Amino acid sequence: MGIRGLMSFVEDHSNEFFTDLKLRDTKIVIDGYALFHRLSFNSNLELRYGGDYDSFADVVQNFFESLFACNICPYVVLDGGCDISDKKLTTLKDRAREKIQMAHSLSVGGSGYVCPLLIREVFIQVLIKLQVCFVQCFSEADRDIMTLANHWNCPVLSSDSDFCIFDLKTGFCPLNSFQWRNINTIKGTQNYIPAKCFSLDAFCHHFSNMNKALLPLFAVLCGNDHINLPIMETFLSKARLPLGATSSKGRRHHRILGLLNWLSHFTNPTEALDNVLKYLPKKDRENVKELLCCSMEEYQQSRVKLQDFFQCGTYACPDALNLGLPEWVLVALAKGQLSPFISDALVLRRTILHTQVENMQQPNAHRISQPIRQIIYGLLLNASPHLDKTPRNALPPQPLAFSEMERINKNIKTSIIDAVELAKDHSDLSKLTELSLRRRQMLLLETLKVKQTILEPIPASLKLPVAVSCYWLQHTETKTKLHHLQSLLLAMLVGPLTAIINSPGKEELQEDGAKMLYAEFQRVKVQTRLGTRLDLDTAHIFCQWQSCLQMGMYLNQLLSTPLPEPDLTRLYSGSLVHGLCQQLLASTSVESLLSMCPEAKQLYEHLFNATRSYAPIEIFLPKGKSNSKKKRQKKQNTSCSKNRGRTTAHTKCWYKGNNRFGLLMVENLEEHSEASDLE
């Protein structure tokens, strides 16, 4: 975010540009995007296995508890969708490429920082659980954060160097010097968090008492997220920027120092801008001036008053209102009940599919969830006449397409995806919330290709994950094996186990069994983190499952949650799921693992029974039988009924002798066999 190199530059001059702060008894406005990235990357969390969301949730909770202990009242502001002007598209593409390279590095045992796919959703769930006030902006949040902090006269907490440019009344505290893990005490009673606060006045004083109004021009000349004009290189090469006495570190610091010293000679932005244009060809000056002035506006006060949201639960966003979007959509976006993915699809007809730590030689893991996204796009087709930029009657009627920015090999590509045309009563987004619960639930389950009766024995909190798992199993390209399904279902027991352990009135034996099983799961997690090499095929399969879950959740949210939203903090732990995979492949059986906790065993049977009828028959074959079955396929086709009977009988014997849960698998084989006989 912001101006690359500026944050490290000012930190190199920490003694000059920062003051020490003992933060307590205050409001603080927090850049939510910067915070969850910081906590994810700087808390020794495992990033290879797709996210240990339980561990991340604990870190987030500890962070806010530190603030509460110091009587600091946090207000978290999250970025929304991309700006409607698309001025950051080039930056977004560059960062998407960087993310692919880091994901590849992690996948082969190297280093890198890639946020797990559902990290934002987990972060929001923890904020709700802790009752931390938060708002999701319609687009980028920086200006709104600055305006809110100045209204309340309180500091901003972020890692975005743009906050070194904004004129903040109470200053900007960088996250990397915010010592929330190191609470100190004054006189034994008053807690505070040691922090550093950037002083814009000290910064400008260092550069010959520069007019702070020149800093937005510095930002756009230096190249920020909004503007990166190649023609600026012409100015930078001809201006002979003075470096001053301070030594620079690298090319970026060299440029920053030179620009600041050069700008310090001018009294105001108009004078400085006129001097910049002198170095450019005359034919380019007017266009460049317009672009620079427009970009400098991004550092001025916002018209949005977020304080209205925190006081009344709603606020006016002029950009959003001008689009004529349905009121319920604007409210849900502000409350974080709809993802920025939805607003990007709605406003730009373009979405970004974030790369995971997956097998880069295989097709993008998000391909599996494309049918879910096509339904989402179908629901968003008729949102507002302001969003349809195609002239009426200019072309024959065509299905509206959406573009998806996705990984192809180790690069990014934009793919065109058609929306699914839905029934008439689903075609008006403004009336979507008026549909009955039954109709909304039916559309969700039809999209996931799941019968409602299958979900009846499943606890409410797990209905959506189980439905998503059924969808995932029906796509043969996942190459799912039995141990993959078993591991996912076992990991889903963590939430119920936690509830058993923390519930009063349970029999001691059951509680002890739950504690023992929970402890075993924790042991598996730790063992997995100790250096097990990542199985790329397994990682890719679970990345596909997470993509299905993410899009299933987004569709569920768009339909006003006909199924309860699952607690992601206790649903999936990558280290646990991968570790269970290894144990089940080696020697451990599901039955022996669950024998210590009857309640968990019973729940697992419900989960397994719900998903098994949607799984391909191949995953229930004994180890080593699947490949031999393929080799014999041609021969089996010539004597189908006879061989099918032998295969089923053999497999029944194998399962009955190896695993109690094999009884369920035998039923599954019989169902498949009967269905095949009827064809």
Side-chain angles (χ1 to χ4, degrees):
M1 298 290 289
I3 303 107
R4 291 201 174 188
L6 180 59
M7 203 70 239
S8 61
F9 176 81
V10 296
E11 285 171 348
D12 278 357
H13 298 77
S14 179
N15 292 335
E16 299 158 84
F17 302 153
F18 289 88
T19 56
D20 290 328
L21 204 61
K22 296 177 179 178
L23 206 65
R24 61 183 177 88
D25 305 323
T26 181
K27 292 178 178 178
I28 189 167
V29 180
I30 300 176
D31 177 350
Y33 178 90
L35 178 61
F36 73 69
H37 276 78
R38 178 81 187 180
L39 296 181
S40 181
F41 297 155
N42 293 79
S43 303
N44 194 32
L45 298 178
E46 178 56 65
L47 299 175
R48 293 177 299 163
Y49 297 110
D52 284 350
Y53 295 124
D54 51 351
S55 300
F56 173 72
D58 291 342
V59 171
V60 176
Q61 180 164 331
N62 291 339
F63 174 85
F64 284 105
E65 285 177 349
S66 292
L67 299 189
F68 301 151
C70 300
N71 197 28
I72 298 170
C73 185
Y75 291 85
V76 177
V77 183
L78 290 158
D79 287 323
C82 299
D83 192 280
I84 192 168
S85 68
D86 242 1
K87 56 195 169 193
K88 286 183 66 173
L89 182 57
T90 301
T91 300
L92 289 171
K93 287 182 176 180
D94 289 342
R95 290 185 180 165
R97 291 187 188 95
E98 290 173 6
K99 189 173 181 179
I100 289 170
Q101 295 306 316
M102 285 193 283
H104 172 66
S105 175
L106 283 167
S107 73
V108 295
S111 60
Y113 296 100
V114 176
C115 268
L117 189 65
L118 299 171
I119 203 85
R120 181 192 180 96
E121 283 71 34
V122 173
F123 182 67
I124 288 175
Q125 287 188 353
V126 178
L127 295 181
I128 293 170
K129 176 186 172 185
L130 297 176
Q131 298 183 314
V132 174
C133 296
F134 76 95
V135 64
Q136 181 173 269
C137 294
F138 186 67
S139 55
E140 190 165 300
D142 290 358
R143 290 176 70 191
D144 299 341
I145 289 173
M146 179 261 289
T147 306
L148 178 64
N150 281 344
H151 175 79
W152 281 339
N153 202 27
C154 69
V156 167
L157 184 64
S158 178
S159 56
D160 189 339
S161 56
D162 275 336
F163 290 104
C164 295
I165 306 299
F166 288 121
D167 190 3
L168 290 162
K169 292 179 182 178
T170 316
F172 153 52
C173 297
L175 275 162
N176 59 358
S177 55
F178 188 74
Q179 300 178 48
W180 63 272
R181 290 186 173 95
N182 184 29
I183 294 178
N184 288 353
T185 306
I186 303 173
K187 299 176 182 178
T189 56
Q190 297 175 320
N191 294 333
Y192 70 87
I193 295 176
K196 289 187 178 296
C197 186
F198 177 76
S199 168
L200 193 65
D201 289 335
F203 183 72
C204 290
H205 177 76
H206 181 82
F207 292 99
S208 307
N209 288 319
M210 178 196 298
N211 181 354
K212 64 177 69 172
L214 289 161
L215 290 178
L217 178 58
F218 157 73
V220 297
L221 290 176
C222 209
N224 63 5
D225 287 347
H226 301 136
I227 188 167
N228 191 10
L229 289 174
I231 200 167
M232 284 297 98
E233 294 298 327
T234 304
F235 156 70
L236 292 166
S237 63
K238 292 181 178 179
R240 296 184 180 180
L241 305 178
L243 292 180
T246 310
S247 62
S248 58
K249 184 196 296 182
R251 186 168 178 267
R252 290 190 189 281
H253 286 202
H254 182 95
R255 173 174 292 189
I256 289 168
L257 188 60
L259 271 173
L260 289 168
N261 280 318
W262 185 80
L263 284 169
S264 67
H265 294 98
F266 301 104
T267 56
N268 58 63
T270 302
E271 181 188 354
L273 183 56
D274 289 341
N275 274 273
V276 169
L277 298 174
K278 287 178 184 177
Y279 292 96
L280 305 181
K282 288 185 179 180
K283 63 182 178 65
D284 297 320
R285 290 177 186 174
E286 207 54 44
N287 285 338
V288 170
K289 182 178 181 180
E290 185 178 345
L291 281 169
L292 292 176
C293 288
C294 183
S295 296
M296 289 164 64
E297 284 294 316
E298 294 298 322
Y299 293 94
Q300 303 307 313
Q301 290 274 116
S302 168
R303 292 181 294 166
V304 171
K305 298 179 179 179
L306 290 182
Q307 62 269 24
D308 291 347
F309 178 84
F310 291 118
Q311 290 165 1
C312 311
T314 184
Y315 76 99
C317 174
D319 289 343
L321 292 173
N322 290 339
L323 293 170
L325 298 176
E327 178 66 21
W328 78 265
V329 171
L330 296 179
V331 171
L333 285 170
K335 292 182 177 179
Q337 295 166 350
L338 288 176
S339 163
F341 175 92
I342 298 296
S343 59
D344 281 348
L346 192 54
V347 175
L348 300 173
R349 302 270 191 244
R350 188 199 66 231
T351 57
I352 300 171
L353 306 179
H354 295 289
T355 300
Q356 304 177 75
V357 182
E358 57 192 87
N359 190 337
M360 300 292 168
Q361 295 181 352
Q362 290 192 30
N364 194 309
H366 291 289
R367 290 292 177 91
I368 189 174
S369 58
Q370 182 178 302
I372 306 176
R373 293 196 298 279
Q374 288 178 287
I375 296 294
I376 292 173
Y377 300 153
L379 289 169
L380 300 176
L381 276 180
N382 298 310
S384 164
H386 299 281
L387 295 173
D388 188 0
K389 299 173 185 176
T390 306
R392 298 289 178 188
N393 303 320
L395 294 169
Q398 294 178 345
L400 278 176
F402 290 71
S403 58
E404 296 182 338
M405 202 162 77
E406 62 172 345
R407 176 189 68 81
I408 302 292
N409 297 320
K410 294 181 189 174
N411 210 331
I412 59 167
K413 180 184 177 182
T414 299
S415 302
I416 305 302
I417 307 296
D418 287 332
V420 169
E421 291 192 41
L422 300 170
K424 191 174 181 180
D425 57 351
H426 296 131
S427 62
D428 187 348
L429 185 65
S430 64
K431 296 180 180 178
L432 190 58
T433 54
E434 298 173 15
L435 291 177
S436 68
L437 172 63
R438 180 179 170 276
R439 295 297 303 277
R440 288 181 283 115
Q441 194 174 92
M442 187 184 303
L443 177 58
L444 174 66
L445 295 181
E446 283 176 356
T447 303
L448 299 177
K449 304 175 185 176
V450 177
K451 294 178 182 177
Q452 188 168 0
T453 52
I454 291 291
L455 301 178
E456 287 174 0
I458 307 301
S461 61
L462 293 177
K463 286 185 187 292
L464 183 59
V466 167
V468 163
S469 299
C470 292
Y471 171 92
W472 168 74
L473 285 167
Q474 293 174 74
H475 291 75
T476 54
E477 67 267 24
T478 60
K479 300 177 183 176
T480 309
K481 302 291 189 296
L482 179 58
H483 61 277
H484 297 137
L485 173 60
Q486 291 173 324
S487 300
L488 280 171
L489 298 182
L490 285 169
M492 290 182 193
L493 301 177
V494 170
L497 281 174
T498 306
I500 292 171
I501 293 168
N502 296 329
S503 294
K506 291 285 181 183
E507 294 178 15
E508 283 189 23
L509 186 62
Q510 290 178 327
E511 186 177 326
D512 289 344
K515 287 179 179 177
M516 289 170 62
L517 183 56
Y518 185 85
E520 174 61 16
F521 283 165
Q522 296 305 307
R523 187 195 66 77
V524 171
K525 272 186 65 177
V526 172
Q527 188 176 20
T528 307
R529 291 196 58 180
L530 290 177
T532 310
R533 184 168 181 174
L534 183 67
D535 182 323
L536 271 182
D537 289 335
T538 294
H540 201 82
I541 286 168
F542 290 142
C543 285
Q544 291 173 317
W545 182 83
Q546 280 211 66
S547 177
C548 295
L549 180 62
Q550 182 187 51
M551 293 305 156
M553 285 183 62
Y554 289 172
L555 176 58
N556 191 50
Q557 290 173 348
L558 189 57
L559 294 170
S560 301
T561 57
L563 292 181
E565 188 160 293
D567 179 3
L568 296 173
T569 67
R570 298 293 180 262
L571 181 71
Y572 179 89
S573 168
S575 295
L576 174 59
V577 171
H578 280 257
L580 288 169
C581 267
Q582 293 156 15
Q583 289 208 1
L584 293 172
L585 271 175
S587 59
T588 306
S589 70
V590 173
E591 186 178 35
S592 64
L593 191 61
L594 296 180
S595 60
M596 62 187 82
C597 184
E599 285 193 11
K601 186 177 182 180
Q602 183 180 27
L603 176 55
Y604 177 87
E605 288 181 352
H606 287 312
L607 300 179
F608 185 81
N609 201 34
T611 54
R612 67 186 177 92
S613 56
Y614 291 92
I617 187 67
E618 288 80 10
I619 82 166
F620 298 107
L621 292 172
K623 295 173 187 176
K625 295 291 179 182
S626 182
N627 288 336
S628 60
K629 179 178 181 290
K630 290 177 182 176
K631 292 177 183 177
R632 297 195 306 269
Q633 192 67 51
K634 188 175 180 180
K635 184 178 178 181
Q636 286 179 338
N637 287 341
T638 61
S639 54
C640 180
S641 299
K642 183 178 179 181
N643 286 346
R644 186 186 304 115
R646 288 173 182 169
T647 302
T648 304
H650 173 82
T651 308
K652 284 183 188 179
C653 293
W654 185 88
Y655 276 127
K656 287 178 180 176
N658 281 273
N659 195 331
R660 182 177 179 278
F661 292 114
L663 295 175
L664 294 174
M665 299 175 199
V666 167
E667 293 172 14
N668 189 70
L669 286 165
E670 288 172 342
E671 289 172 9
H672 278 276
S673 180
E674 290 168 7
S676 299
D677 286 336
L678 290 171
E679 290 176 355

